[in-house]
Amino acid sequence: MIEIKRYINRFHLKLGRRTKRQVFRFVDVFSFVISIYFAFSLRFDLFEAWNNLPDYREQILLIIPTKLVFFTLVGVYRPILRYVGLEFLGTAFVATVGSTGLLALIGLMFAFQPLPRSIQILDLILTLVLMVSTRVMIRWLAYKVIVSDQNEVG
């Protein structure tokens, strides 16, 4: 177990700030895909969700780039992991609500078949929960493994 902690500690220290932000972007893209699929699954039946996805293909293809750009503009990827707290929770809330509103506005402006409001609300809630929970989980893991390993060595 100590060897695993040391390996994670060395791996963490080798990553630069830019690389860590890219990892968070990748995790967020994964959470966007999961949240939109679960939003469809909760709105429709679990197996019926696959049949309804092609009807909203234009909107779904816009979700990931729009959310990534909006999250970057709001500053979700700016804070350092050790400072993730209530301020980040507010930033995450603004980012998810703003990106969902922007997606709804884009859907209305370009006359796509708009996503049902229930799916947009479910996607907003699931994205917020997944984004905050992954940050908290990674922060907990980092401090549990890295700080405890440094305390054992020192």
Side-chain angles (χ1 to χ4, degrees):
M1 185 68 170
I2 294 174
E3 290 300 318
I4 294 172
K5 284 184 179 182
R6 286 189 181 143
Y7 175 75
I8 292 174
N9 190 7
R10 276 187 246 125
F11 179 73
H12 176 287
L13 292 175
K14 287 181 183 178
L15 294 178
R17 195 174 281 181
R18 177 179 234 153
T19 307
K20 290 176 187 174
R21 287 181 181 151
Q22 294 299 332
V23 168
F24 277 121
R25 283 187 181 102
F26 177 76
V27 168
D28 284 347
V29 167
F30 183 71
S31 68
F32 298 158
V33 172
I34 295 292
S35 68
I36 194 66
Y37 178 72
F38 280 129
F40 269 91
S41 297
L42 290 171
R43 169 66 171 83
F44 302 110
D45 186 29
L46 181 65
F47 300 107
E48 193 178 321
W50 283 110
N51 297 334
N52 291 323
L53 287 175
D55 297 337
Y56 303 102
R57 143 178 91 249
E58 292 90 6
Q59 286 282 73
I60 292 172
L61 290 176
L62 281 175
I63 288 175
I64 293 174
T66 304
K67 284 187 177 185
L68 275 177
V69 167
F70 201 84
F71 281 28
T72 303
L73 291 176
V74 170
V76 169
Y77 302 113
R78 233 182 327 201
I80 301 172
L81 185 64
R82 65 177 159 238
Y83 301 123
V84 171
L86 287 177
E87 183 180 341
F88 176 76
L89 191 61
T91 304
F93 181 77
V94 167
T96 53
V97 170
S99 64
T100 302
L102 183 64
L103 284 167
L105 185 67
I106 289 172
L108 291 173
M109 286 175 45
F110 294 110
F112 295 139
Q113 180 177 355
L115 288 172
R117 282 175 288 195
S118 59
I119 290 179
Q120 292 175 356
I121 292 169
L122 287 170
D123 178 51
L124 181 143
I125 293 168
L126 291 170
T127 299
L128 182 64
V129 167
L130 285 172
M131 182 175 42
V132 170
S133 63
T134 55
R135 299 302 196 281
V136 169
M137 194 168 34
I138 290 172
R139 179 181 177 196
W140 175 81
L141 180 67
Y143 279 101
K144 184 76 174 168
V145 172
I146 294 169
V147 172
S148 68
D149 187 45
Q150 289 174 350
N151 288 339
E152 288 174 7
V153 172

